[in-house]
Each structure stands twice: as C-alpha cells, then as structure tokens.
Amino acid sequence: MTFLPGLTSTRKDLIGYFIEDMRYHGILRIALFPTCLDLSERRQLYGALEEIPGLSIPHVHLRSDCGPMEIDYLRDRFETEVFNIHPAASAHPYLKGRDDQRKYLYVENVEVVPSREELSVFAGLCPDFSHWENAKQHNRAEYQGFEELFKSYPVGCCHISALRVGEPNDWSGEWDHHGFTRFSEFDYLKDYRPYLPPHWLSLELENDLADQLKAIDYLEKLLA
C-alpha cells in the first residue's frame, strides 16, 4: 500500500503552510484536492507547487470545472497517474471531458454511489471509505449493494478520512470528517481492508503535514 499525504483546499488559509512544511520535511509526493479553488486559484497553486523540484502528484481530485487541458498539464508536469471525479448523480458532477482521458478517471462515492453505466465508461472506482462507513451508520438506501461494484470494476485510488460517530461535520452534519483528532478515528478502516487499492491511498485531511505523516505511520500498522 502506498499512502499519500493530502494537500486539501477547504481551508485555503492553510495551503501556504502545508507547502512550507513539504519543503521542511522533504516531501516530494502528495495527493492534491483542489476542489474548493476556482481556476485562477488553482493556477496560483500550481505555480507554487512548480517551485518544488522533483515534486510528483500521483492522485488529483478533479473539480467539476477542470477541463482536458488541465488534466494534460497535471499529467505532464506532476506525473499524475490517476484522477477521481464525482458521479453524475451527485451534487457536483464532473463534466464529460475528453474520451481518451477517461482511462485515468476513477469515480468516487459521495452522497450517492456511481452507477454501473458510468463505471463502464470510466476507469473504475475511487472509494471514499469515510463516506461509505457514514452511509452504513445511517442506513442510507443509496448505498445498498455498493460493495457488489468492487467485483466488477477496478479500484485505482481511494480517499482516507476520519470518522467520528455521533459528531457532526461542518458541511453536512454527517459523521465523516476531513480532519482527525485521534488516531482511533481511522480504526473503522480495518473492516475495509479487502477493498483497499495497492497504491494511492490518499489522505483527504485538513491536518497539517506533520500530523498526516504520523497518521500514515499509524495506518500502515493498522492495515498491514
């Protein structure tokens, strides 16, 4: 398994500190979640990341307005191998994009799960396990049979976030969180060991880089 610390964008004020910490810790491989940045903000971020020699970004969470040229840029400049998108039935669906790029695009489960029809068009699944576990805790009908999709479609990457049962998050009032306070908030992942991809287990966390690196140490032992 290959874990990636994640540079998220829900807290824009923390992005600069994260990049400084990357330099301090010598981190040259991350996942990127620019989902709260418009195009001009993303360009500014890419410019800052270009100043880190040798940086690679194997996994990027595409925003709905990321076009084909942006995908080409990320693949060429940062050696991005996989991207994830939201399903068509979600609140923030991904635009169609270019046909030849679909082999790099994996569909994430959010408030809904991907359909078999779209999974047959794109590369496969990008499970977000905190969304999945939260849906189980709330007996969401939308997730009925989700595990069956793993028998038919490959998993190319995934999202790792925290789960705090009974503690609402800031954006939906659910129990999945893009930040952790205790390592035990990842323990639910033991039940999902059979569904993990071999590479690009990407931390979708707002925690600083030092805390994410500690979380990766914990996860490597937890899921060994």
Side-chain angles (χ1 to χ4, degrees):
M1 289 181 289
T2 306
F3 290 90
L4 298 173
L7 173 50
T8 59
S9 55
T10 47
R11 289 282 309 276
K12 297 178 185 180
D13 57 311
L14 299 180
I15 292 174
Y17 296 109
F18 193 96
I19 293 174
E20 288 179 10
D21 286 346
M22 287 171 59
R23 294 181 181 277
Y24 177 79
H25 290 281
I27 297 298
L28 295 178
R29 192 167 63 180
I30 62 167
L32 182 61
F33 298 83
T35 44
C36 293
L37 305 179
D38 62 27
L39 179 57
S40 63
E41 292 172 317
R42 294 198 301 274
R43 285 174 173 166
Q44 184 177 1
L45 173 58
Y46 297 152
L49 293 174
E50 283 185 358
E51 296 178 3
I52 302 176
L55 175 65
S56 68
I57 308 176
H59 175 198
V60 175
H61 183 338
L62 292 178
R63 188 174 138 120
S64 59
D65 63 346
C66 292
M69 292 182 64
E70 194 165 349
I71 294 174
D72 286 341
Y73 161 76
L74 289 164
R75 280 181 50 76
D76 293 342
R77 183 61 181 80
F78 296 110
E79 301 175 325
T80 305
E81 297 183 17
V82 295
F83 302 84
N84 78 268
I85 60 174
H86 285 185
S90 72
H92 302 286
Y94 180 67
L95 303 179
K96 181 180 178 181
R98 211 169 62 214
D99 290 350
D100 65 298
Q101 295 175 331
R102 291 182 180 181
K103 60 187 175 183
Y104 312 121
L105 275 57
Y106 293 81
V107 190
E108 179 193 357
N109 54 294
V110 283
E111 79 277 13
V112 295
V113 302
S115 68
R116 288 184 177 271
E117 290 74 21
E118 64 188 320
L119 286 173
S120 67
V121 172
F122 291 103
L125 287 159
C126 172
D128 185 308
F129 295 107
S130 68
H131 296 338
W132 190 359
E133 179 63 18
N134 176 75
K136 283 184 178 180
Q137 294 283 344
H138 289 90
N139 297 311
R140 301 288 189 223
E142 296 87 350
Y143 270 74
Q144 185 174 2
F146 178 50
E147 65 275 8
E148 293 298 313
L149 297 178
F150 289 79
K151 298 177 182 178
S152 303
Y153 304 100
V155 178
C157 50
C158 73
H159 292 184
I160 301 291
S161 301
L163 189 93
R164 296 198 284 278
V165 173
E167 185 175 334
N169 62 37
D170 293 334
W171 73 88
S172 68
E174 301 292 319
W175 298 342
D176 40 353
H177 290 262
H178 290 162
F180 75 95
T181 59
R182 299 175 299 276
F183 292 134
S184 60
E185 293 165 16
F186 299 113
D187 287 355
Y188 74 95
L189 288 164
K190 290 185 290 187
D191 294 335
Y192 294 94
R193 183 67 181 81
Y195 303 98
L196 296 174
H199 301 294
W200 316 144
L201 289 79
S202 301
L203 275 60
E204 188 175 14
L205 297 170
E206 296 169 358
N207 299 77
D208 64 29
L209 180 57
D211 282 346
Q212 290 196 37
L213 295 176
K214 293 175 185 175
I216 288 174
D217 287 341
Y218 182 81
L219 288 163
E220 288 176 338
K221 295 180 178 69
L222 178 74
L223 301 173

